[in-house]
Amino acid sequence: MSTEPAQPSDETAIEVTPDAAEEALALLSGEGLDTDVAGLRLFVQQGGCAGLSYGMRFDTEPEDDDMVVEHHGLRVFVDPASKNYIGGSRLDYERGLQAAGFHVENPNVVSECGCGESFRT
């Protein structure tokens, strides 16, 4: 049994920009987490005015059935149910005059709420 995560296919993989990876790695390190094992969990949950919303948190390690992708040194964990909604997405970190934060560019979205916090596929 291999300990290496399976490489996802192109249509289900999550892309991470260098800016998003840099910011997430800095936050992980700030929490005292080992960036060689720990990572950013990206998931979808019920909620928001459009029906679904994105969630993110740090996890110390992936679950057995997670898709694990690594970009620019950042490990991203996605559970099987969430993968169906966000496969092929791009995670970016945007800095602006009003605010800064992570942003998911999801090709599966057919509509979003006005604030961009929730979506429908």
Side-chain angles (χ1 to χ4, degrees):
M1 185 164 143
S2 172
T3 58
E4 290 296 313
Q7 291 302 311
S9 63
D10 288 343
E11 62 271 2
T12 60
I14 306 298
E15 179 187 349
V16 180
T17 66
D19 286 342
E22 179 182 340
E23 187 66 27
L25 287 167
L27 292 169
L28 275 164
S29 294
E31 294 289 321
L33 296 170
D34 180 357
T35 57
D36 290 333
V37 180
L40 177 69
R41 176 165 300 281
L42 178 61
F43 59 94
V44 172
Q45 58 193 1
Q46 294 290 324
C49 52
L52 299 170
S53 62
Y54 302 107
M56 288 180 230
R57 70 172 186 264
F58 295 130
D59 266 349
T60 56
E61 62 186 4
E63 297 293 327
D64 290 338
D65 58 351
D66 282 344
M67 174 178 69
V68 179
V69 295
E70 186 171 335
H71 290 278
H72 312 290
L74 174 67
R75 292 166 44 101
V76 179
F77 311 143
V78 181
D79 65 87
S82 295
K83 182 175 72 173
N84 294 332
Y85 295 102
I86 58 177
S89 294
R90 180 175 184 249
L91 179 63
D92 196 8
Y93 188 80
E94 299 175 349
R95 293 172 177 84
L97 293 175
Q98 296 289 332
F102 291 97
H103 176 72
V104 178
E105 297 172 19
N106 187 340
N108 306 304
V109 170
V110 295
S111 68
E112 292 181 304
C113 68
C115 66
E117 294 297 318
S118 66
F119 65 97
R120 184 169 54 89
T121 58

